[in-house]
């Protein structure tokens, strides 16, 4: 909270003062930096006859390890706008939460429903200001007063407006599905099926994507967030009853007993009053 | 242009005094609520928001080159501690109320409320009581065009009633 009556806007963007020193550490001294959690990912969006459908897989990776088997990649921006995020998980979370907050303030100030282009401009100007260091590749979709919209936003701040879009490491697999099967004026069920097919293509053919399919259908005045709409990779759990091993199955080779505490006999002295 | 504004989905505010001053406070409070959420990922409790707004108002009584805000605010909200009502004065002091009134007709309105208020009112009764309190000092004909009513129920969503709904309540009161 500012203590002065006049508020000075805070300096924005990164300060690059330590770049030279970082360069020396990373490249010259052989020290390896820690890996951060990326979302590998397949995210898609398409426009159908009544609005927009967004889809995402649910695997978050940390290098070769799966960090989260069921994470949420479709982020809330406004009641009528949702955003899928690929890239560094922390970056996509932080940037979508921040812009969602700004959109809420804007809604209070104007008294109107948020527009997708507003969210788009807020996101792209933020990403551009950070010159690609905020590693967030987003698929933004929503329905507002001007109709359904779908955009892709790249980490450096450039955007595309498309009828169908894919991002993330599984984007090529998903785009192959879209390019062969997309047509204008899809119905809701056809659209959901196509989105699921595209995400599944990413799940099964890309190592960075996996687990389940999340779908979000946005139409005029209504949204359906279908979390875990499809679970093509169910876990086969160990039987809850446990294993029954009969006694004597394991051979005892030797036995040694070590008492942990000496047993002491305490003689109680009679206390004199 | 409305006198009753919402600060968050579950907190609303109305003012008595200079409209432009209240606008500044409403803007600041909304931003503070969002910042609180961004920091703690928890919707701001009513007491916290009132405290922060009161702090801003107090700042302007102790800084150089500025004048105190010419508004008193009534902040109503519903959070985990149940429904709450607060009054914030230009000095920066705030009070918790079960029922309160501000403005030109404050003394009559408060005596009226003291007689009429009960702890266990239903929402509809409360709206009727509020309308009757307003009517006490009202000059001219009371209608949906010259009053505003904002409510927050157990659903925890603050909303301003539409003129049609206000008309319904007015008809019931008559």
């Amino acid at each position: 909270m500012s203590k002065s009556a006049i508020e000075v806007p805070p300096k924005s963007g990164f300060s690059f003062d330590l770049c030279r020193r970082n360069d020396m550490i990373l490249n010259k001294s052989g020290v390896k930096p820690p890996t951060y959690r990326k979302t590998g990912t397949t995210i898609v969006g398409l426009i159908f006859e009544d609005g927009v459908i967004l889809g995402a897989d649910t695997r978050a990776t940390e290098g070769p390890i799966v960090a989260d088997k069921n994470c949420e990649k479709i982020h809330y921006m406004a009641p009528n706008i949702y955003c899928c995020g690929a890239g560094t998980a922390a970056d996509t979370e932080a940037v979508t939460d921040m812009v969602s907050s700004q959109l809420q303030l804007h809604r209070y100030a104007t008294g109107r429903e948020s527009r997708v282009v507003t969210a788009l401009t807020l996101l792209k100007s933020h990403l551009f200001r950070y010159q690609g260091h905020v590693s967030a590749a987003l698929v933004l979709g929503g329905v507002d007063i001007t109709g359904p919209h779908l955009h892709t936003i790249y980490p450096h701040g450039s955007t595309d407006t498309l009828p169908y879009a894919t991002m993330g490491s599984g984007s090529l697999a998903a785009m192959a599905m879209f390019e062969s099967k997309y047509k204008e004026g899809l119905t809701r069920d056809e659209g959901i099926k196509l989105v699921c097919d595209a995400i599944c293509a990413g799940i099964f053919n890309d190592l960075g994507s996996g687990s389940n399919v999340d779908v979000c259908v946005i139409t005029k005045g209504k949204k359906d967030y279908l979390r875990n709409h499809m679970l093509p990779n169910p876990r086969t759990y160990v039987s809850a009853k446990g294993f029954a091993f009969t006694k004597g199955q394991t051979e005892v080779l030797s036995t040694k007993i070590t008492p942990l505490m000496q047993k002491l006999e305490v003689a109680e002295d009679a206390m004199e009053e | 242009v409305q006198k009753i504004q919402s600060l968050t989905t579950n907190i609303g505010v109305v003012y008595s005094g200079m409209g432009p001053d209240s606008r500044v406070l409403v803007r600041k409070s909304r931003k503070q609520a969002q910042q609180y959420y961004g920091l703690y990922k928890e919707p701001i409790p009513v007491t916290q928001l009132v405290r922060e707004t009161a702090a801003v108002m107090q700042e302007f009584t102790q800084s150089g080159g500025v004048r105190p805000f010419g508004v008193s605010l009534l902040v109503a909200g519903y959070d985990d501690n149940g429904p709450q009502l607060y009054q914030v004065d230009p000095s920066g002091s705030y009070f918790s109320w079960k029922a309160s009134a501000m403005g030109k007709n404050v003394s009559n309105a408060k005596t009226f409320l003291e007689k009429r208020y009960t702890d266990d009112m239903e929402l509809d009764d409360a709206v009727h009581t509020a309308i009757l309190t307003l009517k006490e000092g009202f000059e001219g004909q009371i209608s949906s065009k010259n009053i505003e009513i904002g409510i927050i129920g157990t659903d925890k969503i603050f909303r301003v009633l539409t003129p049609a709904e206000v008309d319904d309540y007015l008809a019931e009161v008559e």
Side-chain angles (χ1 to χ4, degrees):
Chain A
M1 311 300 158
S2 151
K3 285 290 169 212
S4 66
I6 306 151
E7 275 190 2
V8 178
K11 281 200 188 147
S12 51
F14 286 120
S15 81
F16 291 94
D17 300 334
L18 290 171
C19 276
R20 208 162 179 209
R21 162 246 192 210
N22 290 344
D23 196 45
M24 298 218 46
I25 295 175
L26 287 173
N27 298 336
K28 311 273 167 57
S29 76
V31 174
K32 285 183 76 178
T35 54
Y36 39 80
R37 190 206 285 193
K38 306 196 88 194
T39 49
T41 310
T42 309
I43 49 174
V44 305
L46 64 73
I47 296 188
F48 72 112
E49 66 181 351
D50 298 327
V52 171
I53 306 180
L54 299 172
D57 74 303
T58 59
R59 175 183 287 183
T61 52
E62 213 160 286
I65 299 173
V66 176
D68 192 343
K69 285 180 281 204
N70 206 4
C71 70
E72 281 186 30
K73 298 189 192 176
I74 306 187
H75 307 285
Y76 167 89
M77 298 286 265
N80 58 324
I81 305 171
Y82 274 76
C83 184
C84 306
T88 309
D91 287 341
T92 58
E93 280 278 346
V95 103
T96 47
D97 281 349
M98 194 195 70
V99 171
S100 173
S101 207
Q102 288 177 331
L103 284 176
Q104 170 83 299
L105 283 171
H106 188 72
R107 272 203 297 285
Y108 279 136
T110 57
R112 293 192 171 96
E113 201 184 49
S114 297
R115 298 195 186 191
V116 183
V117 284
T118 315
L120 179 72
T121 314
L122 286 168
L123 284 165
K124 76 194 283 192
S125 31
H126 181 84
L127 291 175
F128 179 73
R129 203 174 334 132
Y130 284 84
Q131 288 292 300
H133 290 279
V134 174
S135 177
L138 311 165
V139 170
L140 175 72
V143 179
D144 58 28
I145 194 79
T146 47
H149 297 276
L150 180 68
H151 304 280
T152 53
I153 309 166
Y154 291 85
H156 285 267
S158 64
T159 57
D160 287 319
T161 310
L162 301 161
Y164 55 94
T166 66
M167 293 283 256
S169 56
S171 62
L172 266 63
M175 189 51 99
M177 273 297 181
F178 272 174
E179 289 287 12
S180 65
K181 293 188 188 163
Y182 182 82
K183 57 183 203 290
E184 306 225 331
L186 287 163
T187 64
R188 184 197 154 99
D189 291 327
E190 284 174 351
I192 294 180
K193 178 151 189 326
L194 181 52
V195 160
C196 286
D197 286 346
I199 299 287
C200 285
I203 286 173
F204 294 120
N205 300 101
D206 174 43
L207 291 177
S209 314
S211 297
N212 318 120
V213 181
D214 284 350
V215 175
C216 184
V217 185
I218 310 172
T219 52
K220 189 169 153 65
K222 202 164 89 85
K223 58 150 191 277
D224 267 324
Y225 184 72
L226 305 165
R227 168 88 173 131
N228 287 4
H229 176 69
M230 250 181 87
L231 293 102
N233 297 302
R235 265 208 75 185
T236 46
Y237 284 101
V238 165
S239 143
K241 297 193 297 274
F243 296 103
F245 292 116
T246 55
K247 269 200 161 164
Q249 268 191 318
T250 314
E251 196 190 323
V252 178
L253 297 174
S254 69
T255 315
K256 180 175 163 209
I257 300 171
T258 316
L260 291 170
M261 278 199 326
Q262 295 286 16
K263 256 191 155 176
L264 290 173
E265 294 280 325
V266 180
E268 278 220 20
D269 295 334
M271 295 289 276
E272 287 186 27
E273 294 289 314
Chain B
V1 178
Q2 283 180 340
K3 232 179 184 181
I4 305 183
Q5 311 252 24
S6 53
L7 297 179
T8 69
T9 41
N10 60 328
I11 306 175
V13 68
V14 71
Y15 72 92
S16 171
M18 300 163 74
D21 283 8
S22 85
R23 249 205 306 272
V24 168
L25 281 170
V26 164
R27 217 158 233 238
K28 191 107 179 81
S29 302
R30 285 173 176 163
K31 195 161 186 200
Q32 278 169 336
Q34 291 297 322
Q35 281 174 344
Y36 184 96
Y37 183 79
L39 195 54
Y40 300 109
K41 278 289 177 285
E42 183 209 357
I44 190 169
V46 188
T47 42
Q48 285 298 110
L49 188 56
V50 167
R51 210 171 286 182
E52 287 179 17
T53 311
V56 169
M57 291 170 89
Q58 191 280 340
E59 221 177 277
F60 279 68
T61 64
Q62 216 177 355
S63 305
V66 294
R67 62 161 175 80
F69 285 98
V71 281
S72 270
L73 301 173
L74 269 180
V75 182
Y78 200 131
D79 62 10
D80 292 330
N81 301 352
Q84 290 163 74
L85 178 68
Y86 289 91
Q87 174 178 337
V88 196
D89 285 337
S91 60
S93 49
Y94 53 93
F95 312 98
S96 175
W97 290 100
K98 288 197 174 170
S100 184
M102 304 180 319
K104 196 158 69 165
N105 209 31
V106 61
S107 42
N108 283 351
K110 278 199 170 171
T111 25
F112 185 88
L113 278 173
E114 266 179 51
K115 279 183 277 179
R116 279 283 193 133
Y117 177 80
T118 56
D119 262 332
D120 52 0
M121 274 196 282
E122 287 289 323
L123 184 64
D124 288 339
D125 298 328
V127 177
H128 289 154
T129 312
I131 293 177
L132 288 167
T133 320
L134 273 178
K135 245 179 131 183
E136 280 285 298
F138 210 80
E139 290 163 17
Q141 178 74 309
I142 195 168
S143 82
S144 64
K145 288 207 209 346
N146 42 25
I147 61 165
E148 276 171 33
I149 302 179
I151 57 167
I152 183 163
T154 43
D155 60 351
K156 293 191 188 177
I157 298 178
F158 182 86
R159 61 184 197 90
V160 181
L161 297 178
T162 62
E165 287 170 312
V166 174
D167 271 325
D168 289 338
Y169 279 110
L170 282 172
E172 284 175 33
V173 166
E174 297 295 340

